[in-house]
Amino acid sequence: MSDEGSNPTISALFSEDRKFPPPPEFAAQANCDESIYEEAKDRDAFWTKQAERVAWRKRWDQVLDWSDAPFAKWFTGATLNITESCLDQHVAERGDKVAYHWEGDGGETRTLTYQELHEEVCKAANALAALGVTKGDRVAIYMGMVPELPVAMLACARLGAVHGVVFGGFSSDSLRDRINDAEAKMLITCDGSYRAGSVVPLKEMADVSLAETPSIEKVLVVRRTGSDVNMVEGRDVWWHDVVSGQSSEHEAVEMDAEDMLFILYTSGTTAKPKGIVHTTGGYAVGTATTHYYVFDLKPDDVYWCTADIGWVTGHSYIVYGPLINGATSVMFEGVPQHPDKDRFWDIVEKYKVSILYTAPTAIRTFVKWGDEYPGKHDLSSLRLLGTVGEPINPEAWMWYHRVIGGERCPIVDTWWQTETGMILIAPLPGVTATKPSSATLPLPGVAADIFDDAGNSVPFGGGGYLTLTEPWPAMLRTLYKEPDRFKEVYWSRFSKPDENKWVYFAGDGAKRDEEGYLWLLGRVDDVMNISGHRISTLEVESALVDHPAVAEAAVVGRADDRTGQAIAAFCTLKGTAVGDENLIKEIRDHVADKIGKIARPASIVFTPELPKTRSGKIMRRLLKDISEKRQLGDVTTLANEGVVSELSDLASQAKAAEDD
Ligand code: PRX
């Protein structure tokens, strides 16, 4: 929880009353009707039926074992290899179907059919095995959005090795910490990746990490940019040297449904990221089922999720869910503004994309750029639109609906988290009427509730904390090597272990309207949401005080109409340091070096003092009010009163530093 108690956003009420019933033509062809909600009331029977999407080697004894709550076991006793669901089960019947249309940053293309993807994965699995990777080993992956990225993940899964993908925008330090926490044996990376025509030197950045990662034995490098890179004899090997010559057959390793599939690190409320652990069977069932219903997937759809695979959205809805369902996806390496601001719409037209899944921050940027860019292209192939990552404001929703969806495409606003593994709250297109800015209702088989501070369910019409009151198949199983922290962070706030009542606390505030629709209101803890990415205030604060000139730092996420929130930093300086423009730039770059560019503060204000409570806690809420130029909240607990007016002056003078 934040240090000043409950969040004012929770009491915010929306006056949005527009409602969009499902278009009748869409409803007529939808993958389900409203009876699915009723059917899913028998939770275990529902998930048993959905489990048919997955290719099992051995069936389960029990759908859910919750006896050791909050440590869940789904499909106990079952065995499978998830890549057989993603690949082998499709090869015989639709081997020629395209799995990925890959579009490079500069417009080059590659097409991979299910047959070809299967072959590539088998070769890569054979190469990894030859390099010593075996079941249970951790493999770190730090790559751009090239086809070898899903191939590498699936090759790990084929061998039963645990992949830990680190987003290519993270710094050397972030990569090092994640490798060390996971004790990864191998790193798979690229020489570089392309972003808007320039090269991101991934291998060079990885080299800095590798100086301090004793567990790494081998580094496998994909050539993408052709840049000169340093290859360490005996440790570093080229992908094309070791993968190409391998056999395209590989017998997948049999895994228990509860064997670990991947670790993905995400920011928490402390400076140390949490290693979210996902396992195999339940994750496969959860991602495939939600991908099928939420996106109303049909065999001929061309589906495009614009996320980077470095985040959970890419894991669940570019790799596992779509592949298990045998979907055709577009995978894009580049950025929306390169070579021009119509790139997305050009891709939609080129591949005749029918389902588009993107982020509110991107939509808000498109709104700013203007209607002329989508206007240049034929978007009539689109039939369904999705959003994820943060609340979407009604204006952006309406623009998406009108300009991109031609007023005919349902919009699915999907709420979920790295922890949840799968979408949990979203409309079912063709079934659920939508309201702009509401993620609508929990999906069939999912139980969500809104609690007040005391842990009571809030009646319809009220606001509070979003909770999940029953387990779901793709839920995180634990935090890597930190089971106590897992219990503490997610299950201690509202659970009643004595009564064997387990409640998952999502960390989000939400309002539930009179019809039971859920309206997400953002985080209630010290986690910011920048362009749909979670960044911990504490993580940025530690990076700030790591700079030699900074004595103390406080960070808040202030509202920003493009990125949702922007990082506003307040620093006190040491001794003789001079807080000028140069120092601002230096400190911002320092944070980018420590964590990654996404964590670079948008503004830095130097202040002689930070506002603190009498017990010495920094009053972040007050800083947030100051940076958003709002009426100041309660300041009676403030120890150093003079600081407020001074800070307000400084903050309004401060020129918002240039954002990337
Ligand atoms: O605050 C919620 C917000 O993103 C958080 C999860 O972030 P992450 O684990 O990085 O996963 C993002 C992609 C699944 C949530 O706690 N969030 C995600 N989707 C929505 C959302 N907030 C409002 N509406 C959404 N649709």
Side-chain angles (χ1 to χ4, degrees):
M1 292 302 303
S2 64
D3 42 11
E4 294 98 35
S6 66
N7 190 311
T9 51
I10 285 181
S11 52
L13 293 178
F14 287 169
S15 54
E16 178 60 53
D17 56 6
R18 282 171 288 202
K19 195 168 176 180
F20 294 82
E25 324 75 70
F26 198 104
Q29 57 83 67
N31 282 353
C32 59
D33 59 33
E34 62 189 31
S35 65
I36 193 171
Y37 289 106
E38 197 52 40
E39 183 195 331
K41 285 190 176 152
D42 184 343
R43 182 193 60 200
D44 289 4
F46 177 74
W47 290 118
T48 299
K49 188 171 156 196
Q50 301 306 329
E52 292 308 321
R53 299 173 201 289
V54 168
W56 303 91
R57 292 244 185 127
K58 178 174 168 281
R59 300 263 149 174
W60 49 96
D61 308 317
Q62 205 182 339
V63 182
L64 168 67
D65 177 0
W66 195 222
S67 59
D68 187 26
F71 300 94
K73 293 190 192 74
W74 281 84
F75 303 104
T76 57
T79 65
L80 72 160
N81 184 289
I82 196 167
T83 71
E84 292 183 336
S85 297
C86 294
L87 303 169
D88 305 55
Q89 74 166 347
H90 306 307
V91 168
E93 276 177 39
R94 37 184 179 269
D96 291 339
K97 187 173 179 184
V98 174
Y100 292 117
H101 289 291
W102 177 80
E103 164 102 1
D105 182 66
E108 61 274 61
T109 59
R110 264 172 79 182
T111 306
L112 279 174
T113 63
Y114 274 90
Q115 173 77 41
E116 289 163 341
L117 186 61
H118 182 261
E119 287 171 10
E120 291 305 314
V121 169
C122 288
K123 284 187 194 172
N126 284 320
L128 260 55
L131 292 169
V133 175
T134 55
K135 184 173 174 176
D137 286 343
R138 273 83 55 215
V139 174
I141 300 181
Y142 184 60
M143 295 170 75
M145 283 284 282
V146 288
E148 287 81 1
L149 169 52
V151 170
M153 293 161 75
L154 293 164
C156 291
R158 192 125 183 130
L159 293 172
V162 176
H163 57 73
V165 181
V166 179
F167 171 55
F170 275 122
S171 66
S172 309
D173 283 9
S174 297
L175 174 63
R176 176 201 60 206
D177 294 348
R178 285 158 174 74
I179 290 174
N180 288 339
D181 190 74
E183 296 167 279
K185 188 170 180 181
M186 175 188 269
L187 170 68
I188 308 180
T189 186
C190 300
D191 52 357
S193 71
Y194 285 112
R195 215 187 121 81
S198 44
V199 171
V200 182
L202 288 174
K203 175 65 166 65
E204 207 180 299
M205 287 161 67
D207 284 340
V208 176
S209 326
L210 288 163
E212 296 174 298
T213 52
S215 59
I216 294 285
E217 293 170 15
K218 292 282 176 199
V219 179
L220 186 53
V221 188
V222 172
R223 182 177 282 158
R224 167 65 184 126
T225 58
S227 328
D228 255 350
V229 293
N230 174 41
M231 298 290 280
V232 173
E233 183 77 38
R235 187 195 68 185
D236 300 0
V237 286
W238 286 106
W239 178 282
H240 54 261
D241 284 342
V242 294
V243 175
S244 311
Q246 297 288 341
S247 156
S248 57
E249 279 170 33
H250 178 270
E251 174 66 20
V253 172
E254 185 162 357
M255 305 288 287
D256 187 275
E258 281 301 334
D259 277 339
M260 212 188 295
L261 176 63
F262 67 87
I263 306 173
L264 191 58
Y265 288 86
T266 189
S267 294
T269 52
T270 70
K272 185 175 183 287
K274 302 177 286 195
I276 307 295
V277 170
H278 282 289
T279 59
T280 307
Y283 178 80
V285 173
T287 54
T289 305
T290 49
H291 183 254
Y292 177 78
Y293 287 117
V294 175
F295 298 107
D296 189 54
L297 188 76
K298 301 288 193 285
D300 294 335
D301 272 316
V302 178
Y303 160 86
W304 182 21
C305 167
T306 70
D308 191 291
I309 292 178
W311 307 104
V312 75
T313 307
H315 282 59
S316 299
Y317 297 107
I318 298 179
V319 183
Y320 291 107
L323 291 178
I324 296 172
N325 288 333
T328 293
S329 289
V330 171
M331 176 178 170
F332 177 43
E333 181 188 39
V335 295
Q337 68 274 23
H338 179 77
D340 204 352
K341 293 175 178 146
D342 64 342
R343 186 68 186 274
F344 268 33
W345 320 121
D346 184 50
I347 293 175
V348 168
E349 182 173 5
K350 179 170 173 184
Y351 297 98
K352 298 198 167 35
V353 171
S354 55
I355 304 171
L356 176 67
Y357 189 30
T358 194
T361 183
I363 298 168
R364 287 193 299 266
T365 305
F366 299 142
V367 173
K368 281 207 173 140
W369 288 346
D371 297 7
E372 61 185 278
Y373 295 102
K376 288 184 196 165
H377 296 276
D378 176 6
L379 306 182
S380 61
S381 56
L382 288 171
R383 64 178 199 92
L384 180 70
L385 304 174
T387 71
V388 59
E390 55 177 318
I392 178 164
N393 45 313
E395 299 71 33
W397 195 102
M398 287 305 299
W399 183 89
Y400 200 31
H401 168 71
R402 187 172 52 79
V403 180
I404 305 305
E407 300 188 356
R408 71 181 178 278
C409 305
I411 296 180
V412 289
D413 174 350
T414 64
W415 179 90
W416 59 296
Q417 306 177 303
T418 307
E419 290 85 342
T420 70
M422 66 190 232
I423 299 169
L424 294 185
I425 303 172
L428 288 173
V431 178
T432 318
T434 53
K435 302 181 186 184
S437 199
S438 168
T440 75
L441 305 167
L443 288 179
V446 172
D449 203 349
I450 307 289
F451 280 22
D452 64 15
D453 261 320
N456 302 310
S457 176
V458 171
F460 283 15
Y465 304 99
L466 177 67
T467 60
L468 301 163
T469 51
E470 283 185 41
W472 62 98
M475 66 198 285
L476 80 165
R477 298 302 195 261
T478 188
L479 293 179
Y480 191 61
K481 295 193 293 200
E482 297 186 297
D484 293 338
R485 188 177 179 198
F486 165 72
K487 279 173 122 170
E488 168 61 29
V489 172
Y490 304 105
W491 302 96
S492 65
R493 181 82 169 81
F494 296 116
S495 298
K496 294 183 183 139
D498 302 345
E499 298 166 30
N500 203 21
K501 195 170 157 233
W502 294 94
V503 176
Y504 174 91
F505 172 46
D508 279 27
K511 176 187 176 283
R512 184 161 50 183
D513 70 17
E514 302 292 347
E515 291 181 309
Y517 276 53
L518 297 163
W519 303 72
L520 279 303
L521 300 172
R523 305 285 309 182
V524 294
D525 53 17
D526 292 329
V527 176
M528 299 172 286
N529 188 328
I530 314 297
S531 297
H533 301 311
R534 271 157 77 171
I535 299 177
S536 143
T537 52
L538 266 120
E539 220 175 322
V540 180
E541 286 166 6
S542 352
L544 286 166
V545 295
D546 185 73
H547 186 281
V550 178
E552 203 178 15
V555 160
V556 294
R558 74 165 140 77
D560 181 276
D561 59 8
R562 190 175 60 85
T563 54
Q565 286 190 321
I567 302 180
F570 295 81
C571 301
T572 63
L573 294 177
K574 283 184 191 157
T576 54
V578 182
D580 57 13
E581 287 292 317
N582 288 337
L583 188 60
I584 289 183
K585 181 171 180 311
E586 209 183 279
I587 296 177
R588 291 179 72 226
D589 289 347
H590 185 73
V591 177
D593 280 349
K594 297 302 290 180
I595 306 173
K597 280 188 186 158
I598 45 164
R600 175 184 279 167
S603 60
I604 295 185
V605 169
F606 296 119
T607 165
E609 249 184 303
L610 291 171
K612 293 193 180 154
T613 60
R614 285 176 201 148
S615 60
K617 278 189 182 165
I618 295 172
M619 296 177 75
R620 289 203 186 78
R621 174 73 29 71
L622 188 67
L623 290 172
K624 200 169 151 86
D625 290 345
I626 289 172
S627 29
E628 291 176 354
K629 300 195 178 61
R630 268 206 310 256
Q631 188 81 36
L632 298 186
D634 183 11
V635 291
T636 49
T637 51
L638 191 72
N640 39 354
E641 278 167 39
V643 75
V644 171
S645 59
E646 200 168 342
L647 258 176
S648 304
D649 290 348
L650 283 168
S652 38
Q653 283 163 22
K655 186 167 124 330
E658 222 178 290
D659 210 355
D660 290 300

